[in-house]
Amino acid sequence: MHSVPVDVEKVSPYNGKIIIDMAYTEEELKKELETKEYEYGFYTDIESDTFPKGLNEEIVIAISKKKEEPEWMTLWRLAAFKGWKEMVEPEWANIHYKKPNFQDISYYSAPNSKPKYDSLDEVDPELLDTFKRLGISIDEQKKLAGVAVDIVMDSVSVATTFKKTLAEKGIIFCSISEAIREHPELVKKYIGSVVPPKDNFYAALNSAVFSDGSFCYIPKGVRCPMELSTYFRINQAGTGQFERTLVIADEGSYVSYLEGCTAPSRDENQLHAAVVELIALDNSEIKYSTVQNWFPGDKEGKGGVFNFVTKRGLCEKGAKISWTQVETGSAITWKYPSCILKGDNSIGEFYSIAVTNNYQQADTGTKMVHIGKNTKSTIISKGISAGKSQNSYRGLVQVNSRANNARNFSQCDSLLMGNECGAHTFPYIEVKNKTAHIEHEATTSKIGEDQIFYCNQRGIDTEKAIALIVNGFSKEVLNKLPMEFAVEAQKLLEISLEGSVG
Amino acid sequence: MLKIKDLHASVEDKEILKGVSLEVKPGEVHAIMGPNGSGKSTLASVIAGKEEFEITKGSILFEGEDLEDVSPEERAHKGVFLSFQYPVEIPGVSVTNFMKTAINESRKARGQEDMPANEMLKLIREKSEMLDIDRKFLSRSLNQGFSGGEKKRNEIFQMAMLEPKLAILDETDSGLDIDALRIVANGVNKLKSKDNAVILITHYQRLLEYIIPDFVHVIHDGKIVKSGTKELALELEEKGYDWLKKEPVA
């Protein structure tokens, strides 16, 4: 959307009518960008098997039954539900929203046909079309070397590729439902071990009603030969999404996991409360990268996804977990991917870019809990705020009394665009060991007119100039993403900030 | 190439340029000199199209086209280049990336495809050698942590890359030591041709020993008060600006 006359066709919101008008003015472009609908704002009419609205023990049991789960799982869910009923929603975050009515949500929705496809021809053509419009056609994905895709469509996995290659290495990559059935010993041992069912309000809710998600196990000493990725979509009006992800890296193994999502635009708020648990056993490494692009709401702040996510990883001896996230979507983001550095010499990293525009609110950051000796953590957080949005970094660095020689470096940078947005930093540091070494740096800057003019003078228009400046600002984090994801993320940053300076 | 007629320009209702007229033809080098606050840099910014300045009277024609409604980036596409007195920093954006973007945006405006990577690399190599620039320098963030001299040399490097028709060098000599000045001046001289033109905005005569101007203009209180040949610059060096301030406008 940069050079005005060239990209007009792509920007045109007028129902596919192509407009090529040489007298196209900047004013018109601005207007068009404002009215531009959410890039992925469409939804398909796949018949769904949807439960009635509301939540009680019967619903929890029904979900578990529907998924043909063993009794221990049903009981686990029920215990979580019992805990949830006694909990209240957290209110400490710097976000303001109308609380969802949890009895007005349907807690289960699955695409009707639940087949095991042998070939693409058997897949519902409408579903395939959706994938194509998202630019993630399975066909292409299959060809994309090194990427296996487990697509979660409305809570139930409908397609898994590259499974065979992975199986040869002993890697298990499947839906969590399948894992519960096929690998109960692994699931039973690790589910809830990092994020206990009653950890917090949303985690408890998720534990009671999670519909599906991904499961991954890398055996001892195995280096996963490809990036594992999951694409999430929200597709049913009024259906909450309660994904559950469990990644286990056994001793000395390595895995890079990509999670990316786009969602169709809807009027009513959609609740998303996922739980992701990572277990990194001795000397293993997990890289978990996310590009999050849920519908952020329109420019009046109407609609948009509420994203309340609990992500946490446990590092045993010498293990390493890196969280990298690019957050551009959601009306509300409440998310703190964390690392429990339990083992000696373990390493936790958090690299984040959070973009808020219009009326979006994000309260995101991390927790680094140093328990083992010589543990190290790095936090690089980049917040970009535009429009009337509010962007908060909230982070906790905790060094326990036994954690000799713990090291932390935190850097929180905020970039402001315009005069109506806000950037906030809430760093919490708790140190109980004198040998700890903690560094915290924070900067706030504003995209200056001088920077824009400088770019303009070199022939770079304002939209492109902003994209360039934002990419430069975010570079340290973008560089942490796997290549194909970095490109997608860069594109997302540009889309998210379009029309925000004018 | 450039025709400025009775140009008046204001910023926040304060008139800075009070009737500047100037004509620059292809192949010419013009020097604009004058004391601090006389309007030299404002003239440069107005030609480049900086929005905070409002043109209240007069006109700027570039190759026969009135620039009034032409955006700064379009002026750049047409071949206007400004070497900034204070180049801004853009963290995280390398000089190479910035140049690649700038060149391809101009090409796009002209309906051309992006420059192929091998051509781009060749161009970068050629121009950086010409200006004696260490290529490691090109992977650093634009102007971030650059010394004054590095910033100015980087401006001239960009000029070399973009090959403008009209280059305006706003106090490019300030902050340069004698070696850097010589390199920058050599670069400008090499880029000079019968088809392009250069406007040198400077406070001192020094730069003009290396880049010989065809014309020298003295600006004072928003007006050109005297024009002449390179000898005028020497006279200024000797006498300062005060004698011109007192002289009635011709």
Side-chain angles (χ1 to χ4, degrees), chain A residues 68-313:
Chain A
E68 297 158 29
E69 288 174 355
E71 201 192 353
W72 64 266
M73 196 68 237
T74 315
L75 294 174
W76 193 83
R77 286 176 180 273
L78 282 170
F81 176 69
K82 213 175 148 217
W84 177 74
K85 277 198 297 187
E86 284 154 21
M87 295 166 102
V88 287
E89 288 176 75
E91 287 179 347
W92 42 261
N94 185 26
I95 47 179
H96 304 277
Y97 61 99
K98 189 172 168 283
K99 286 179 182 169
N101 177 355
F102 293 95
Q103 293 304 334
D104 196 35
I105 292 170
S106 164
Y107 287 87
Y108 184 81
S109 158
N112 230 352
S113 45
K114 214 171 134 193
K116 301 265 178 276
Y117 302 113
D118 289 325
S119 82
L120 286 174
D121 304 338
E122 292 171 40
V123 179
D124 187 337
E126 208 168 334
L127 183 60
L128 282 182
D129 189 49
T130 303
F131 291 150
K132 280 198 188 111
R133 287 162 75 184
L134 277 169
I136 52 157
S137 88
I138 302 165
D139 221 335
E140 273 177 20
Q141 291 294 346
K142 273 184 173 171
K143 284 175 201 158
L144 266 176
V147 181
V149 181
D150 176 36
I151 297 162
V152 177
M153 174 89 172
D154 247 42
S155 323
V156 172
S157 299
V158 290
T160 304
T161 48
F162 288 103
K163 231 170 162 174
K164 239 181 104 187
T165 324
L166 296 173
E168 281 162 13
K169 296 239 173 200
I171 294 167
I172 305 166
F173 180 41
C174 62
S175 73
I176 192 116
S177 310
E178 192 181 328
I180 290 167
R181 288 192 302 270
E182 309 289 329
H183 310 281
E185 69 299 337
L186 283 172
V187 178
K188 204 171 174 178
K189 184 170 176 191
Y190 291 108
I191 195 166
S193 68
V194 188
V195 180
K198 292 175 202 167
D199 185 79
N200 67 67
F201 182 84
Y202 299 104
L205 179 64
N206 175 289
S207 300
V209 302
F210 72 88
S211 40
D212 215 332
S214 297
F215 174 85
C216 175
Y217 170 79
I218 314 291
K220 269 184 200 171
V222 169
R223 207 183 152 83
C224 184
M226 55 184 79
E227 315 270 359
L228 299 180
S229 63
T230 314
Y231 287 87
F232 294 89
R233 301 255 287 114
I234 293 180
N235 213 25
Q236 281 308 111
T239 305
Q241 281 265 310
F242 304 96
E243 303 288 347
R244 185 99 198 177
T245 303
L246 181 57
V247 178
I248 304 152
D250 212 327
E251 290 170 23
S253 68
Y254 167 84
V255 63
S256 167
Y257 192 94
L258 315 181
E259 171 202 52
C261 42
T262 55
S265 68
R266 282 304 167 85
D267 267 343
E268 61 208 278
N269 290 309
Q270 291 174 304
L271 178 66
H272 183 83
V275 171
V276 176
E277 290 179 281
L278 308 183
I279 292 111
L281 298 178
D282 292 0
N283 303 311
S284 68
E285 182 179 350
I286 302 176
K287 268 185 81 155
Y288 195 99
S289 314
T290 306
V291 171
Q292 186 270 116
N293 186 26
W294 301 114
F295 179 53
D298 63 19
K299 72 177 171 68
E300 268 84 45
K302 202 168 154 239
V305 170
F306 287 8
N307 196 21
F308 296 94
V309 185
T310 306
K311 288 184 167 180
R312 197 175 300 153

Side-chain angles (χ1 to χ4, degrees), chain A residues 386-397:
Chain A
K388 294 183 164 66
S389 68
Q390 295 295 326
N391 202 327
S392 303
Y393 166 81
R394 186 182 303 276
L396 168 69
V397 176

Side-chain angles (χ1 to χ4, degrees), chain A residues 351-405:
Chain A
Y351 303 103
S352 169
I353 301 168
V355 179
T356 53
N357 197 355
N358 297 321
Y359 286 89
Q360 280 177 273
Q361 302 176 67
D363 193 298
T364 184
T366 185
K367 273 196 276 188
M368 292 291 175
V369 181
H370 294 255
I371 298 170
K373 294 181 178 68
N374 307 313
T375 45
K376 271 197 285 191
S377 63
T378 305
I379 299 170
I380 310 280
S381 165
K382 305 270 180 180
I384 301 161
S385 344
K388 294 183 164 66
S389 68
Q390 295 295 326
N391 202 327
S392 303
Y393 166 81
R394 186 182 303 276
L396 168 69
V397 176
Q398 192 181 64
V399 178
N400 289 13
S401 54
R402 290 194 306 110
N404 292 333
N405 301 315

Side-chain angles (χ1 to χ4, degrees), chain A residues 15-72:
Chain A
N15 297 327
K17 217 166 71 194
I18 292 168
I19 296 168
I20 299 171
D21 181 0
M22 294 314 285
Y24 195 74
T25 65
E26 209 178 320
E27 274 310 304
E28 283 170 287
L29 176 72
K30 274 182 206 157
K31 211 180 286 166
E32 211 170 273
L33 287 168
E34 274 171 22
T35 55
K36 190 172 155 243
E37 285 166 47
Y38 180 64
E39 187 102 325
Y40 299 121
F42 55 86
Y43 54 93
T44 49
D45 294 324
I46 296 167
E47 276 181 68
S48 280
D49 180 356
T50 303
F51 275 26
K53 287 177 179 176
L55 186 56
N56 51 46
E57 281 193 1
E58 281 74 52
I59 293 280
V60 175
I61 293 166
I63 291 169
S64 191
K65 262 211 178 113
K66 192 94 194 163
K67 310 201 70 68
E68 297 158 29
E69 288 174 355
E71 201 192 353
W72 64 266

Side-chain angles (χ1 to χ4, degrees), chain B residues 227-243:
Chain B
S227 293
T229 53
K230 63 176 193 281
E231 284 74 25
L232 176 59
L234 293 170
E235 206 177 338
L236 284 171
E237 186 79 355
E238 214 177 289
K239 297 190 194 169
Y241 289 108
D242 285 348
W243 63 282

Side-chain angles (χ1 to χ4, degrees), chain B residues 135-149:
Chain B
R135 285 222 287 291
K136 267 184 242 155
F137 172 86
L138 301 177
S139 37
R140 285 168 59 186
S141 288
L142 190 71
N143 293 320
Q144 204 179 21
F146 285 18
S147 69

